[in-house]
Amino acid sequence: MRPRSLAGVVAALALTACSDSNAPEVVTSYTLRYYVDLDLEQGVTTDCQPAPTFCSSDDDLILAYNATKTVPAVAVQNQFTSEQIAHLTSRTFASVHLADTAGAGFTTQVIDQPFDDTRVILILTAAGHVYKLGNPVAFGPQNADSVRFDTALLK
């Protein structure tokens, strides 16, 4: 197990306007290899072996590789800590705000759907925070190396 900071992944901060409040939304970009744990609250990744597994109760999600999907990335929340996930289909990252979380249909079950640009994924952490994930871009041969995506804290 090798913990890495944001400097170990690709991290960039940007500010975008959020229509739900006057406060700017902080967007963090990650490039994450498949089956590497991500702690959204701390912005830390952990390469945990054997994959797929969660190294810590602090870890919120991994990206599983599913070659049967057109986009092979599937976001999997940490089910051992009752993390919840919701998929908002036909939405863009910029169009999802705090108000959209109310009827999102969070579940503790894995949603075996691709993490592609036709949806935004919401993660409800064990600490009660809600993050949105979107704008994914897969890299490598057959998109099998890693995925770059944006996150923002909504609640």
Side-chain angles (χ1 to χ4, degrees):
M1 156 172 47
R2 295 174 300 167
R4 288 182 278 168
S5 68
L6 287 179
V9 278
V10 174
L13 293 177
L15 296 178
T16 58
C18 181
S19 64
D20 286 337
S21 70
N22 293 328
E25 182 176 272
V26 177
V27 177
T28 304
S29 297
Y30 294 95
T31 296
L32 195 63
R33 289 189 343 265
Y34 293 101
Y35 303 107
V36 171
D37 299 8
L38 174 60
D39 176 346
L40 289 164
E41 280 101 357
Q42 300 299 316
V44 175
T45 63
T46 307
D47 191 353
C48 192
Q49 297 299 325
T53 187
F54 287 96
C55 296
S56 166
S57 61
D58 293 334
D59 297 332
D60 299 305
L61 71 110
I62 61 171
L63 295 179
Y65 181 80
N66 186 339
T68 65
K69 307 292 184 191
T70 304
V71 175
V74 176
V76 178
Q77 77 281 13
N78 190 340
Q79 295 175 289
F80 302 108
T81 57
S82 301
E83 307 270 335
Q84 296 183 43
I85 191 167
H87 285 230
L88 303 179
T89 57
S90 303
R91 299 292 299 272
T92 65
F93 185 79
S95 74
V96 174
H97 303 288
L98 179 59
D100 298 308
T101 65
F106 284 97
T107 181
T108 57
Q109 302 299 309
V110 171
I111 300 175
D112 188 14
Q113 293 296 316
F115 179 24
D116 60 23
D117 61 2
T118 67
R119 71 187 66 233
V120 173
I121 296 174
L122 301 177
I123 300 289
L124 174 57
T125 70
H129 299 115
V130 177
Y131 288 85
K132 67 178 178 177
L133 288 66
N135 300 328
V137 178
F139 296 100
Q142 290 81 46
N143 296 324
D145 289 342
S146 59
V147 178
R148 186 210 156 275
F149 60 97
D150 295 331
T151 67
L153 175 65
L154 295 178
K155 172 183 160 190

